[in-house]
Amino acid sequence: MPELPEVETVRRGLQPAMEGSKILKAEARRKDLRFPFQKDFIARLEGQTVTGLGRRAKYLMADLGSGDVLLMHLGMSGSFRVLDGVNDSAPGQFHHPRSEDRAHDHVVFHMSSGSAIVFNDPRRFGYMKIIARNALEDEPLLKDLGPEPLGNEFDAAMLAASCANKKTSLKAALLDQRVVAGLGNIYVCEALYRSHLSPRRLAATLATKKGEPTDHAGRLVSAIHSVLNQAIKAGGSSISDHRLTSGELGYFQHSFQVYDREGEKCQTKNCGGIVRRFVQNGRSTFWCPKCQK
């Protein structure tokens, strides 16, 4: 499933075509995706100007002139492409070619900019929902989300406070969207490797008995910032379905230091360890037992 860097890459690709443009016509070519479309879905979109296009965790959020917000989630296989009458472009991609089957073009926004924004989703795990902006704080999909890992408030003290009393593993804590929003399996593995912390380490060890952040917390926050910014710059990681709106592939997968490198030599200087894989909380974890403690 696309993680924060992939969704942010898609947002940046869609922004020029959507922001400041009016939705002249909206099409929902089926009654549902992962969830049914709201009965007034089309009516609340048509004629509205997209005043801003943001992101919260793994969600795209389009602010509308009416005061509504269009919440969009890519799911497992969802992707957008931008049609401008001359070139088709895609704002965010993955390792395998995006679906070319137009039968899976489920939602289309015809913009006053002259572009058409097409959402294609073969597995239909994506979804869209319109929410009044003044009701966002109570929206079940959003209200329990933790801080943005690239936000100004996210630092070692905040992460330590969130993990202080947890009895779960460090990896499980980082995958908990209530602790930090937008991280997924790939970037958690990479951040833990770069901070030399074991995925099996207890999350509570990020805080002292007084609740203050340990050096581990500082290293981990720095690694999270680094890996996310690097991945966004690379257009995300294209593993199975993610594509840019231009149709191109992200290429951060070529910069993985530990993820999907089972059996390879550890890249940490003078380590000499071998990358191992084990299943943790139902997900593959890649790590170096020698240098990650």
Side-chain angles (χ1 to χ4, degrees):
M1 182 177 291
E3 301 179 26
L4 186 155
E6 289 75 52
V7 179
E8 176 62 20
T9 299
V10 171
R11 186 195 71 80
R12 295 181 184 187
L14 288 174
Q15 194 171 25
M18 293 191 75
E19 242 182 29
S21 184
K22 182 181 292 186
I23 302 174
L24 299 178
K25 179 182 178 182
E27 300 178 59
R29 296 178 175 176
R30 52 179 300 114
K31 295 181 179 180
D32 59 4
L33 291 173
R34 183 173 180 180
F35 309 119
F37 288 110
Q38 294 151 297
K39 292 182 179 179
D40 58 355
F41 181 76
I42 298 298
R44 291 171 72 176
L45 291 176
E46 291 187 337
Q48 297 301 320
T49 297
V50 177
T51 58
L53 186 65
R55 179 194 53 75
R56 177 72 171 105
K58 302 175 186 179
Y59 294 97
L60 293 167
M61 301 176 68
D63 281 290
L64 305 177
S66 61
D68 284 335
V69 176
L70 171 61
L71 193 73
M72 298 174 280
H73 195 285
L74 296 173
M76 296 291 291
S77 62
S79 64
F80 285 94
R81 69 181 187 278
V82 180
L83 312 179
D84 62 9
V86 179
N87 298 307
D88 293 3
S89 62
Q93 314 182 108
F94 294 60
H95 191 68
H96 297 303
R98 178 185 34 194
S99 170
E100 298 296 330
D101 189 344
R102 298 301 177 246
H104 300 307
D105 288 351
H106 300 310
V107 181
V108 184
F109 305 128
H110 300 272
M111 311 301 297
S112 62
S113 63
S115 297
I117 312 299
V118 182
F119 181 66
N120 181 289
D121 189 3
R123 300 186 194 178
R124 299 201 306 274
F125 269 48
Y127 49 92
M128 298 185 185
K129 182 178 182 180
I130 300 175
I131 308 162
R133 173 152 283 282
N134 59 16
L136 283 180
E137 289 187 3
D138 298 320
E139 169 55 42
L141 295 170
L142 300 174
K143 68 178 183 178
D144 293 326
L145 290 175
E148 288 288 321
L150 293 178
N152 293 331
E153 296 181 353
F154 183 71
D155 58 15
M158 174 176 281
L159 182 58
S162 297
C163 293
N165 298 311
K166 287 191 174 295
K167 297 180 180 180
T168 60
S169 69
L170 186 49
K171 185 185 179 190
L174 293 175
L175 288 175
D176 186 342
Q177 298 299 294
R178 297 168 296 181
V179 173
V180 56
L183 293 182
N185 195 44
I186 292 174
Y187 299 108
V188 168
C189 285
E190 288 292 312
L192 287 172
Y193 175 78
R194 295 178 186 208
S195 56
H196 302 294
L197 296 175
S198 169
R200 289 189 167 116
R201 169 183 283 274
L202 285 179
T205 60
L206 294 188
T208 66
K209 291 182 179 180
K210 294 182 178 180
E212 297 175 349
T214 63
D215 176 63
H216 302 319
R219 295 204 322 259
L220 182 54
V221 166
S222 179
I224 289 171
H225 287 161
S226 176
V227 73
L228 291 179
N229 282 318
Q230 187 180 352
I232 291 170
K233 185 176 181 180
S237 301
S238 293
I239 301 300
S240 57
D241 296 295
H242 167 65
R243 286 184 171 272
L244 308 172
T245 48
S246 63
E248 298 175 354
L249 299 174
Y251 55 90
F252 185 68
Q253 66 275 8
H254 302 302
S255 298
F256 289 164
Q257 294 183 15
V258 72
Y259 187 84
D260 204 26
R261 290 187 175 275
E262 181 183 10
E264 297 183 21
K265 289 183 178 180
C266 175
Q267 295 187 17
T268 299
K269 187 176 181 180
N270 299 323
C271 173
I274 301 296
V275 174
R276 303 299 183 192
R277 182 187 74 87
F278 68 98
V279 177
Q280 188 178 25
N281 302 107
R283 307 296 300 276
S284 288
T285 293
F286 298 89
W287 72 311
C288 174
K290 188 172 179 180
C291 70
Q292 287 182 255
K293 303 298 183 181

